[in-house]
Amino acid sequence: MTSITRRSLLSATALLAVSSLAACGGGSSEDDASTLTVAASPSPHAEILSEFAAPLLAEQGITLEVKDYTDYILPNQDTTSGEVDCNYFQHLNYLNNYNEENGTDLVSVGKIHFEPMGVFAGKSSDLAAIADGATITIPNDATNEGRALLLLQEQGLITLSDDAGITATPNDIVDNPHNIDFIEQEAAMLPSTLADADFSVINGNYAIDAGLTLADAVAQESADSDVIRNEYANVIVTTPDKAEDEKIAALVAVLTTDDFKAYLEETFGDSVQAAF
C-alpha cells in the first residue's frame, strides 16, 4: 500500500470516528463535555490531529474537533476567547512574542514537534557558489526572520552582529560579501514566489503545504540544535485555566509517544520531527 493511500485511509477512519462520536446523544451537555476543540494550521498540524490523534482519543471517549486556520493570529485569539479549547500551530518563540505584543497569557502545555527551516533553490541551485547580487527571500515576521538569517549565517553567506540573536533583521548584517539582496515577504507567500528569487528560506509548514520536503532543500537547520528545540518546538497552547484540562492532557499524551515518532518519520520523513 502506498504512503498516500495509507494516509487517505487513516484520514477517512479518523473523520468517521470523530463524526460518529459527535452524532451520539444529539449534542447533549455530556457530549459537549467529551469534545476537545483544537485550532490548527492545515499541514502538518491538522493532518496530525485528524489522522493520528483523533482515533486514539476516540478510544478514550474524547471527540476531537479540528478547526483549520490559515493565519497565525486568529488561532490565538479564538483560544483566548474560548472559541476553541487549545491550538496547535505555533512554536514557542512565536507564542512568547505573541503574548508580549498582545498582553495575553497563553501557555504551552507540551512540546510536540519541530519543522526544520530550509533554504530552497529558485533561479539558482548552488548555494555555495551564490552569485554576487543574488536575491534571497526570507520571512518578514519577527519570530522567523531572525531564524532564517541565522541559518544563512551558518552557511557562511553573511555575518550578523554579536548581539543580534534570534530577533535578527537585515539591519543586523555586518558582513555581506556577496552583496545579497534580501527580500522580506509574508512567510506564507514564500513558496509561491520561489521561482522569482535565487533562493528562499521557507518555514517547514509552508514548505510542506507547497509539496516541498527537506530533501529538496539545499541547506537546512540542524535538528540537534538546542536553539531549535528550545525556541522553535511546535506546542499545544491553551489558557492558564485550562492548563490542566484532562482532555488536553490526553491529547498531549498521545502526541508524545514512540508510536507518534514512528508516524512522523513514516509520514513526513525529516520534514517534521519529534520535539520530546
Side-chain angles (χ1 to χ4, degrees):
M1 179 180 295
T2 66
S3 177
I4 293 176
T5 302
R6 188 190 70 81
R7 289 167 62 183
S8 298
L9 288 175
L10 278 172
S11 183
T13 301
L15 290 172
L16 285 172
V18 173
S19 299
S20 62
L21 279 171
C24 297
S28 68
S29 59
E30 182 177 350
D31 288 330
D32 292 340
S34 68
T35 299
L36 177 65
T37 306
V38 185
S41 53
S43 182
H45 307 82
E47 185 175 352
I48 287 169
L49 293 173
S50 296
E51 291 188 358
F52 184 85
L56 296 175
L57 291 179
E59 293 174 1
Q60 302 178 46
I62 299 171
T63 302
L64 183 61
E65 181 181 341
V66 182
K67 293 189 174 183
D68 283 8
Y69 290 75
T70 57
D71 75 294
Y72 280 178
I73 304 298
L74 287 176
N76 278 336
Q77 290 180 343
D78 286 355
T79 301
T80 297
S81 70
E83 180 72 20
V84 297
D85 296 306
C86 59
N87 67 58
Y88 178 37
F89 77 97
Q90 64 195 312
H91 53 59
L92 281 165
N93 188 268
Y94 182 88
L95 171 62
N96 293 335
N97 186 73
Y98 178 89
N99 278 334
E100 182 177 348
E101 290 189 349
N102 294 277
T104 48
D105 58 355
L106 294 170
V107 296
S108 163
V109 292
K111 296 180 182 179
I112 307 302
H113 79 265
F114 63 95
E115 303 154 17
M117 183 175 272
V119 182
F120 295 86
K123 294 187 294 184
S124 300
S125 59
D126 189 349
L127 191 63
I130 191 169
D132 291 344
T135 56
I136 298 182
T137 53
I138 57 176
N140 66 0
D141 60 281
T143 61
N144 286 302
E145 185 169 46
R147 182 182 179 186
L149 292 172
L150 286 169
L151 174 55
L152 294 174
Q153 179 174 248
E154 288 176 4
Q155 302 306 308
L157 298 179
I158 58 173
T159 302
L160 298 167
S161 61
D162 292 338
D163 59 349
I166 60 176
T167 60
T169 72
N171 292 331
D172 294 302
I173 298 173
V174 295
D175 189 24
N176 183 3
H178 297 288
N179 195 29
I180 297 168
D181 181 18
F182 291 98
I183 301 174
E184 300 163 284
Q185 295 181 346
E186 184 180 349
M189 291 179 55
L190 294 173
S192 64
T193 61
L194 177 58
D196 300 323
D198 289 288
F199 299 95
S200 183
V201 189
I202 304 178
N203 295 66
N205 61 311
Y206 291 125
I208 293 169
D209 283 342
L212 300 169
T213 70
L214 274 189
D216 302 313
V218 296
Q220 61 184 264
E221 291 172 323
S222 170
D224 297 325
S225 167
D226 288 339
V227 172
I228 299 304
R229 290 185 178 274
N230 294 330
E231 294 285 347
Y232 299 112
N234 282 226
V235 289
I236 302 295
V237 172
T238 189
T239 52
D241 62 301
K242 292 182 179 178
E244 297 183 7
D245 182 274
E246 292 183 357
K247 296 189 298 296
I248 296 176
L251 173 62
V252 173
V254 301
L255 295 180
T256 51
T257 64
D258 287 341
D259 285 346
F260 181 60
K261 286 183 179 180
Y263 162 81
L264 290 181
E265 182 176 357
E266 181 180 348
T267 308
F268 301 104
D270 290 337
S271 295
V272 183
Q273 303 179 32
F276 51 89

mmCIF file of all heavy atoms in Angstrom, residues 144-188:
data_model
loop_
_atom_site.group_PDB
_atom_site.id
_atom_site.type_symbol
_atom_site.label_atom_id
_atom_site.label_comp_id
_atom_site.label_asym_id
_atom_site.label_seq_id
_atom_site.Cartn_x
_atom_site.Cartn_y
_atom_site.Cartn_z
ATOM 1 N N ASN A 144 10.479 34.609 12.816
ATOM 2 C CA ASN A 144 11.064 33.708 11.820
ATOM 3 C C ASN A 144 12.159 34.358 10.975
ATOM 4 O O ASN A 144 12.991 33.663 10.395
ATOM 5 C CB ASN A 144 9.973 33.152 10.902
ATOM 6 C CG ASN A 144 9.129 32.103 11.600
ATOM 7 O OD1 ASN A 144 9.643 31.095 12.073
ATOM 8 N ND2 ASN A 144 7.828 32.335 11.682
ATOM 9 N N GLU A 145 12.160 35.682 10.913
ATOM 10 C CA GLU A 145 13.180 36.361 10.114
ATOM 11 C C GLU A 145 14.576 36.123 10.691
ATOM 12 O O GLU A 145 15.518 35.789 9.959
ATOM 13 C CB GLU A 145 12.892 37.862 10.042
ATOM 14 C CG GLU A 145 13.839 38.600 9.126
ATOM 15 C CD GLU A 145 13.382 40.019 8.846
ATOM 16 O OE1 GLU A 145 12.989 40.728 9.796
ATOM 17 O OE2 GLU A 145 13.409 40.432 7.667
ATOM 18 N N GLY A 146 14.706 36.301 12.010
ATOM 19 C CA GLY A 146 15.997 36.068 12.643
ATOM 20 C C GLY A 146 16.445 34.622 12.489
ATOM 21 O O GLY A 146 17.633 34.339 12.274
ATOM 22 N N ARG A 147 15.504 33.718 12.592
ATOM 23 C CA ARG A 147 15.789 32.296 12.424
ATOM 24 C C ARG A 147 16.356 32.031 11.035
ATOM 25 O O ARG A 147 17.332 31.284 10.870
ATOM 26 C CB ARG A 147 14.502 31.510 12.652
ATOM 27 C CG ARG A 147 14.625 30.011 12.566
ATOM 28 C CD ARG A 147 13.255 29.382 12.763
ATOM 29 N NE ARG A 147 13.306 27.931 12.674
ATOM 30 C CZ ARG A 147 12.224 27.147 12.689
ATOM 31 N NH1 ARG A 147 11.018 27.693 12.796
ATOM 32 N NH2 ARG A 147 12.347 25.836 12.609
ATOM 33 N N ALA A 148 15.773 32.665 10.007
ATOM 34 C CA ALA A 148 16.238 32.490 8.634
ATOM 35 C C ALA A 148 17.646 33.056 8.455
ATOM 36 O O ALA A 148 18.506 32.441 7.815
ATOM 37 C CB ALA A 148 15.276 33.163 7.665
ATOM 38 N N LEU A 149 17.886 34.223 9.035
ATOM 39 C CA LEU A 149 19.205 34.850 8.891
ATOM 40 C C LEU A 149 20.281 34.061 9.624
ATOM 41 O O LEU A 149 21.420 33.964 9.150
ATOM 42 C CB LEU A 149 19.142 36.292 9.400
ATOM 43 C CG LEU A 149 18.296 37.248 8.551
ATOM 44 C CD1 LEU A 149 18.142 38.598 9.242
ATOM 45 C CD2 LEU A 149 18.901 37.426 7.156
ATOM 46 N N LEU A 150 19.935 33.489 10.760
ATOM 47 C CA LEU A 150 20.891 32.651 11.481
ATOM 48 C C LEU A 150 21.262 31.419 10.653
ATOM 49 O O LEU A 150 22.421 30.980 10.650
ATOM 50 C CB LEU A 150 20.319 32.229 12.833
ATOM 51 C CG LEU A 150 20.271 33.324 13.915
ATOM 52 C CD1 LEU A 150 19.449 32.847 15.112
ATOM 53 C CD2 LEU A 150 21.678 33.703 14.364
ATOM 54 N N LEU A 151 20.297 30.859 9.941
ATOM 55 C CA LEU A 151 20.568 29.719 9.085
ATOM 56 C C LEU A 151 21.527 30.114 7.960
ATOM 57 O O LEU A 151 22.473 29.376 7.630
ATOM 58 C CB LEU A 151 19.265 29.168 8.512
ATOM 59 C CG LEU A 151 19.375 28.049 7.464
ATOM 60 C CD1 LEU A 151 20.192 26.875 7.989
ATOM 61 C CD2 LEU A 151 17.984 27.583 7.044
ATOM 62 N N LEU A 152 21.312 31.285 7.386
ATOM 63 C CA LEU A 152 22.189 31.750 6.311
ATOM 64 C C LEU A 152 23.584 32.071 6.846
ATOM 65 O O LEU A 152 24.585 31.868 6.134
ATOM 66 C CB LEU A 152 21.572 32.969 5.628
ATOM 67 C CG LEU A 152 20.261 32.688 4.880
ATOM 68 C CD1 LEU A 152 19.652 33.987 4.368
ATOM 69 C CD2 LEU A 152 20.481 31.707 3.732
ATOM 70 N N GLN A 153 23.637 32.527 8.081
ATOM 71 C CA GLN A 153 24.948 32.762 8.692
ATOM 72 C C GLN A 153 25.691 31.440 8.887
ATOM 73 O O GLN A 153 26.908 31.356 8.663
ATOM 74 C CB GLN A 153 24.790 33.478 10.040
ATOM 75 C CG GLN A 153 26.117 33.723 10.750
ATOM 76 C CD GLN A 153 25.957 34.557 12.008
ATOM 77 O OE1 GLN A 153 26.413 35.691 12.079
ATOM 78 N NE2 GLN A 153 25.303 33.999 13.026
ATOM 79 N N GLU A 154 24.957 30.394 9.278
ATOM 80 C CA GLU A 154 25.563 29.076 9.442
ATOM 81 C C GLU A 154 26.146 28.569 8.125
ATOM 82 O O GLU A 154 27.121 27.809 8.121
ATOM 83 C CB GLU A 154 24.522 28.065 9.940
ATOM 84 C CG GLU A 154 24.099 28.262 11.384
ATOM 85 C CD GLU A 154 23.001 27.296 11.786
ATOM 86 O OE1 GLU A 154 22.630 26.430 10.957
ATOM 87 O OE2 GLU A 154 22.499 27.407 12.915
ATOM 88 N N GLN A 155 25.556 29.011 7.017
ATOM 89 C CA GLN A 155 26.045 28.595 5.697
ATOM 90 C C GLN A 155 27.214 29.451 5.220
ATOM 91 O O GLN A 155 27.737 29.241 4.115
ATOM 92 C CB GLN A 155 24.908 28.656 4.670
ATOM 93 C CG GLN A 155 23.698 27.809 5.021
ATOM 94 C CD GLN A 155 24.057 26.366 5.295
ATOM 95 O OE1 GLN A 155 24.727 25.727 4.478
ATOM 96 N NE2 GLN A 155 23.599 25.831 6.422
ATOM 97 N N GLY A 156 27.621 30.422 6.026
ATOM 98 C CA GLY A 156 28.765 31.263 5.687
ATOM 99 C C GLY A 156 28.457 32.363 4.694
ATOM 100 O O GLY A 156 29.376 32.969 4.136
ATOM 101 N N LEU A 157 27.178 32.671 4.478
ATOM 102 C CA LEU A 157 26.811 33.677 3.483
ATOM 103 C C LEU A 157 26.851 35.089 4.036
ATOM 104 O O LEU A 157 27.099 36.046 3.297
ATOM 105 C CB LEU A 157 25.417 33.378 2.928
ATOM 106 C CG LEU A 157 25.271 32.049 2.190
ATOM 107 C CD1 LEU A 157 23.839 31.870 1.722
ATOM 108 C CD2 LEU A 157 26.226 31.969 1.010
ATOM 109 N N ILE A 158 26.558 35.245 5.325
ATOM 110 C CA ILE A 158 26.534 36.556 5.961
ATOM 111 C C ILE A 158 27.109 36.442 7.370
ATOM 112 O O ILE A 158 27.294 35.334 7.890
ATOM 113 C CB ILE A 158 25.094 37.128 6.064
ATOM 114 C CG1 ILE A 158 24.189 36.151 6.847
ATOM 115 C CG2 ILE A 158 24.517 37.437 4.686
ATOM 116 C CD1 ILE A 158 22.803 36.696 7.151
ATOM 117 N N THR A 159 27.369 37.586 7.963
ATOM 118 C CA THR A 159 27.742 37.639 9.379
ATOM 119 C C THR A 159 26.830 38.635 10.068
ATOM 120 O O THR A 159 26.645 39.762 9.582
ATOM 121 C CB THR A 159 29.213 38.081 9.557
ATOM 122 O OG1 THR A 159 30.071 37.176 8.858
ATOM 123 C CG2 THR A 159 29.592 38.104 11.031
ATOM 124 N N LEU A 160 26.252 38.208 11.175
ATOM 125 C CA LEU A 160 25.371 39.064 11.952
ATOM 126 C C LEU A 160 26.131 39.668 13.128
ATOM 127 O O LEU A 160 27.144 39.123 13.575
ATOM 128 C CB LEU A 160 24.173 38.261 12.476
ATOM 129 C CG LEU A 160 23.252 37.650 11.416
ATOM 130 C CD1 LEU A 160 22.310 36.633 12.047
ATOM 131 C CD2 LEU A 160 22.450 38.735 10.708
ATOM 132 N N SER A 161 25.646 40.769 13.644
ATOM 133 C CA SER A 161 26.262 41.368 14.826
ATOM 134 C C SER A 161 26.166 40.396 15.992
ATOM 135 O O SER A 161 25.247 39.565 16.054
ATOM 136 C CB SER A 161 25.568 42.686 15.184
ATOM 137 O OG SER A 161 24.204 42.466 15.483
ATOM 138 N N ASP A 162 27.087 40.479 16.911
ATOM 139 C CA ASP A 162 27.162 39.520 18.010
ATOM 140 C C ASP A 162 25.901 39.492 18.864
ATOM 141 O O ASP A 162 25.557 38.458 19.433
ATOM 142 C CB ASP A 162 28.368 39.839 18.907
ATOM 143 C CG ASP A 162 29.694 39.580 18.207
ATOM 144 O OD1 ASP A 162 29.699 38.800 17.240
ATOM 145 O OD2 ASP A 162 30.711 40.168 18.622
ATOM 146 N N ASP A 163 25.211 40.620 18.961
ATOM 147 C CA ASP A 163 24.041 40.690 19.832
ATOM 148 C C ASP A 163 22.724 40.512 19.082
ATOM 149 O O ASP A 163 21.649 40.723 19.635
ATOM 150 C CB ASP A 163 24.014 42.023 20.584
ATOM 151 C CG ASP A 163 23.973 43.225 19.644
ATOM 152 O OD1 ASP A 163 24.171 43.030 18.423
ATOM 153 O OD2 ASP A 163 23.745 44.351 20.134
ATOM 154 N N ALA A 164 22.775 40.101 17.809
ATOM 155 C CA ALA A 164 21.547 40.005 17.005
ATOM 156 C C ALA A 164 20.640 38.887 17.496
ATOM 157 O O ALA A 164 19.451 39.084 17.750
ATOM 158 C CB ALA A 164 21.897 39.793 15.536
ATOM 159 N N GLY A 165 21.168 37.682 17.618
ATOM 160 C CA GLY A 165 20.379 36.558 18.134
ATOM 161 C C GLY A 165 19.190 36.218 17.260
ATOM 162 O O GLY A 165 19.162 36.493 16.056
ATOM 163 N N ILE A 166 18.178 35.634 17.901
ATOM 164 C CA ILE A 166 17.017 35.122 17.163
ATOM 165 C C ILE A 166 16.069 36.217 16.693
ATOM 166 O O ILE A 166 15.114 35.945 15.965
ATOM 167 C CB ILE A 166 16.233 34.095 18.008
ATOM 168 C CG1 ILE A 166 15.729 34.738 19.306
ATOM 169 C CG2 ILE A 166 17.094 32.875 18.308
ATOM 170 C CD1 ILE A 166 14.871 33.804 20.127
ATOM 171 N N THR A 167 16.327 37.463 17.096
ATOM 172 C CA THR A 167 15.488 38.572 16.635
ATOM 173 C C THR A 167 16.179 39.371 15.534
ATOM 174 O O THR A 167 15.799 40.501 15.243
ATOM 175 C CB THR A 167 15.130 39.503 17.805
ATOM 176 O OG1 THR A 167 16.339 40.037 18.373
ATOM 177 C CG2 THR A 167 14.349 38.756 18.874
ATOM 178 N N ALA A 168 17.188 38.789 14.910
ATOM 179 C CA ALA A 168 17.960 39.489 13.884
ATOM 180 C C ALA A 168 17.088 39.918 12.706
ATOM 181 O O ALA A 168 16.118 39.246 12.345
ATOM 182 C CB ALA A 168 19.091 38.593 13.385
ATOM 183 N N THR A 169 17.453 41.048 12.109
ATOM 184 C CA THR A 169 16.857 41.541 10.869
ATOM 185 C C THR A 169 18.012 41.847 9.911
ATOM 186 O O THR A 169 19.184 41.852 10.309
ATOM 187 C CB THR A 169 16.027 42.818 11.087
ATOM 188 O OG1 THR A 169 16.921 43.918 11.335
ATOM 189 C CG2 THR A 169 15.068 42.650 12.265
ATOM 190 N N PRO A 170 17.716 42.140 8.650
ATOM 191 C CA PRO A 170 18.800 42.505 7.731
ATOM 192 C C PRO A 170 19.651 43.673 8.220
ATOM 193 O O PRO A 170 20.813 43.800 7.825
ATOM 194 C CB PRO A 170 18.053 42.841 6.438
ATOM 195 C CG PRO A 170 16.853 41.940 6.477
ATOM 196 C CD PRO A 170 16.440 41.954 7.926
ATOM 197 N N ASN A 171 19.088 44.512 9.083
ATOM 198 C CA ASN A 171 19.851 45.637 9.630
ATOM 199 C C ASN A 171 20.986 45.177 10.537
ATOM 200 O O ASN A 171 21.904 45.953 10.834
ATOM 201 C CB ASN A 171 18.934 46.579 10.414
ATOM 202 C CG ASN A 171 17.952 47.304 9.516
ATOM 203 O OD1 ASN A 171 18.243 47.556 8.342
ATOM 204 N ND2 ASN A 171 16.788 47.639 10.042
ATOM 205 N N ASP A 172 20.919 43.924 10.993
ATOM 206 C CA ASP A 172 21.949 43.384 11.880
ATOM 207 C C ASP A 172 23.083 42.700 11.119
ATOM 208 O O ASP A 172 24.017 42.174 11.725
ATOM 209 C CB ASP A 172 21.328 42.384 12.859
ATOM 210 C CG ASP A 172 20.357 43.043 13.819
ATOM 211 O OD1 ASP A 172 20.778 43.965 14.527
ATOM 212 O OD2 ASP A 172 19.177 42.634 13.840
ATOM 213 N N ILE A 173 23.005 42.694 9.797
ATOM 214 C CA ILE A 173 24.068 42.082 8.992
ATOM 215 C C ILE A 173 25.275 43.021 8.962
ATOM 216 O O ILE A 173 25.171 44.177 8.533
ATOM 217 C CB ILE A 173 23.578 41.795 7.556
ATOM 218 C CG1 ILE A 173 22.414 40.796 7.579
ATOM 219 C CG2 ILE A 173 24.726 41.264 6.700
ATOM 220 C CD1 ILE A 173 21.762 40.581 6.224
ATOM 221 N N VAL A 174 26.416 42.533 9.422
ATOM 222 C CA VAL A 174 27.635 43.358 9.438
ATOM 223 C C VAL A 174 28.593 42.974 8.318
ATOM 224 O O VAL A 174 29.537 43.714 8.027
ATOM 225 C CB VAL A 174 28.349 43.250 10.807
ATOM 226 C CG1 VAL A 174 27.475 43.835 11.907
ATOM 227 C CG2 VAL A 174 28.722 41.808 11.141
ATOM 228 N N ASP A 175 28.374 41.835 7.697
ATOM 229 C CA ASP A 175 29.206 41.436 6.567
ATOM 230 C C ASP A 175 28.353 40.663 5.568
ATOM 231 O O ASP A 175 27.716 39.666 5.913
ATOM 232 C CB ASP A 175 30.379 40.568 7.043
ATOM 233 C CG ASP A 175 31.390 40.312 5.929
ATOM 234 O OD1 ASP A 175 31.446 41.117 4.978
ATOM 235 O OD2 ASP A 175 32.125 39.301 6.008
ATOM 236 N N ASN A 176 28.332 41.149 4.337
ATOM 237 C CA ASN A 176 27.540 40.550 3.271
ATOM 238 C C ASN A 176 28.417 40.515 2.016
ATOM 239 O O ASN A 176 28.236 41.297 1.075
ATOM 240 C CB ASN A 176 26.278 41.389 3.039
ATOM 241 C CG ASN A 176 25.336 40.801 1.997
ATOM 242 O OD1 ASN A 176 25.572 39.718 1.463
ATOM 243 N ND2 ASN A 176 24.270 41.532 1.691
ATOM 244 N N PRO A 177 29.408 39.614 1.993
ATOM 245 C CA PRO A 177 30.430 39.637 0.942
ATOM 246 C C PRO A 177 29.902 39.476 -0.475
ATOM 247 O O PRO A 177 30.537 39.934 -1.429
ATOM 248 C CB PRO A 177 31.356 38.479 1.323
ATOM 249 C CG PRO A 177 30.535 37.588 2.186
ATOM 250 C CD PRO A 177 29.630 38.502 2.937
ATOM 251 N N HIS A 178 28.745 38.820 -0.639
ATOM 252 C CA HIS A 178 28.184 38.625 -1.976
ATOM 253 C C HIS A 178 27.127 39.686 -2.315
ATOM 254 O O HIS A 178 26.461 39.582 -3.347
ATOM 255 C CB HIS A 178 27.575 37.232 -2.087
ATOM 256 C CG HIS A 178 28.570 36.125 -1.929
ATOM 257 N ND1 HIS A 178 29.507 35.825 -2.891
ATOM 258 C CD2 HIS A 178 28.790 35.258 -0.907
ATOM 259 C CE1 HIS A 178 30.262 34.816 -2.484
ATOM 260 N NE2 HIS A 178 29.843 34.450 -1.281
ATOM 261 N N ASN A 179 26.988 40.662 -1.418
ATOM 262 C CA ASN A 179 26.005 41.726 -1.643
ATOM 263 C C ASN A 179 24.625 41.149 -1.953
ATOM 264 O O ASN A 179 23.935 41.570 -2.886
ATOM 265 C CB ASN A 179 26.446 42.655 -2.778
ATOM 266 C CG ASN A 179 25.668 43.955 -2.797
ATOM 267 O OD1 ASN A 179 25.204 44.442 -1.764
ATOM 268 N ND2 ASN A 179 25.501 44.533 -3.983
ATOM 269 N N ILE A 180 24.231 40.179 -1.142
ATOM 270 C CA ILE A 180 22.934 39.517 -1.325
ATOM 271 C C ILE A 180 21.806 40.510 -1.069
ATOM 272 O O ILE A 180 21.852 41.294 -0.107
ATOM 273 C CB ILE A 180 22.803 38.313 -0.378
ATOM 274 C CG1 ILE A 180 23.867 37.258 -0.715
ATOM 275 C CG2 ILE A 180 21.400 37.704 -0.446
ATOM 276 C CD1 ILE A 180 23.998 36.179 0.332
ATOM 277 N N ASP A 181 20.808 40.492 -1.907
ATOM 278 C CA ASP A 181 19.625 41.334 -1.757
ATOM 279 C C ASP A 181 18.552 40.522 -1.033
ATOM 280 O O ASP A 181 18.028 39.545 -1.580
ATOM 281 C CB ASP A 181 19.119 41.772 -3.135
ATOM 282 C CG ASP A 181 17.894 42.667 -3.051
ATOM 283 O OD1 ASP A 181 17.631 43.226 -1.972
ATOM 284 O OD2 ASP A 181 17.194 42.802 -4.072
ATOM 285 N N PHE A 182 18.251 40.911 0.198
ATOM 286 C CA PHE A 182 17.254 40.190 0.988
ATOM 287 C C PHE A 182 15.881 40.827 0.801
ATOM 288 O O PHE A 182 15.702 42.026 1.002
ATOM 289 C CB PHE A 182 17.639 40.193 2.471
ATOM 290 C CG PHE A 182 18.845 39.352 2.764
ATOM 291 C CD1 PHE A 182 20.102 39.938 2.887
ATOM 292 C CD2 PHE A 182 18.743 37.981 2.865
ATOM 293 C CE1 PHE A 182 21.229 39.172 3.133
ATOM 294 C CE2 PHE A 182 19.858 37.199 3.109
ATOM 295 C CZ PHE A 182 21.108 37.795 3.241
ATOM 296 N N ILE A 183 14.925 40.002 0.402
ATOM 297 C CA ILE A 183 13.558 40.460 0.179
ATOM 298 C C ILE A 183 12.672 39.854 1.253
ATOM 299 O O ILE A 183 12.548 38.630 1.360
ATOM 300 C CB ILE A 183 13.064 40.041 -1.219
ATOM 301 C CG1 ILE A 183 13.984 40.618 -2.299
ATOM 302 C CG2 ILE A 183 11.623 40.503 -1.433
ATOM 303 C CD1 ILE A 183 13.663 40.128 -3.704
ATOM 304 N N GLU A 184 12.079 40.707 2.070
ATOM 305 C CA GLU A 184 11.235 40.253 3.178
ATOM 306 C C GLU A 184 9.800 40.101 2.691
ATOM 307 O O GLU A 184 9.225 41.027 2.130
ATOM 308 C CB GLU A 184 11.303 41.253 4.328
ATOM 309 C CG GLU A 184 12.707 41.453 4.884
ATOM 310 C CD GLU A 184 12.843 42.711 5.707
ATOM 311 O OE1 GLU A 184 12.903 43.803 5.098
ATOM 312 O OE2 GLU A 184 12.890 42.609 6.950
ATOM 313 N N GLN A 185 9.234 38.916 2.929
ATOM 314 C CA GLN A 185 7.866 38.629 2.500
ATOM 315 C C GLN A 185 7.114 37.892 3.599
ATOM 316 O O GLN A 185 7.715 37.278 4.484
ATOM 317 C CB GLN A 185 7.871 37.756 1.231
ATOM 318 C CG GLN A 185 8.456 38.420 0.014
ATOM 319 C CD GLN A 185 8.410 37.527 -1.222
ATOM 320 O OE1 GLN A 185 8.186 36.324 -1.117
ATOM 321 N NE2 GLN A 185 8.597 38.109 -2.388
ATOM 322 N N GLU A 186 5.784 37.952 3.516
ATOM 323 C CA GLU A 186 4.968 37.149 4.424
ATOM 324 C C GLU A 186 5.335 35.683 4.235
ATOM 325 O O GLU A 186 5.467 35.201 3.111
ATOM 326 C CB GLU A 186 3.489 37.369 4.130
ATOM 327 C CG GLU A 186 2.557 36.655 5.083
ATOM 328 C CD GLU A 186 1.096 36.885 4.758
ATOM 329 O OE1 GLU A 186 0.794 37.763 3.930
ATOM 330 O OE2 GLU A 186 0.254 36.168 5.334
ATOM 331 N N ALA A 187 5.512 34.985 5.351
ATOM 332 C CA ALA A 187 6.006 33.604 5.298
ATOM 333 C C ALA A 187 5.182 32.715 4.381
ATOM 334 O O ALA A 187 5.734 31.878 3.649
ATOM 335 C CB ALA A 187 6.051 33.021 6.710
ATOM 336 N N ALA A 188 3.872 32.889 4.390
ATOM 337 C CA ALA A 188 3.002 32.040 3.579
ATOM 338 C C ALA A 188 3.200 32.247 2.077
ATOM 339 O O ALA A 188 2.878 31.377 1.268
ATOM 340 C CB ALA A 188 1.540 32.295 3.943
#
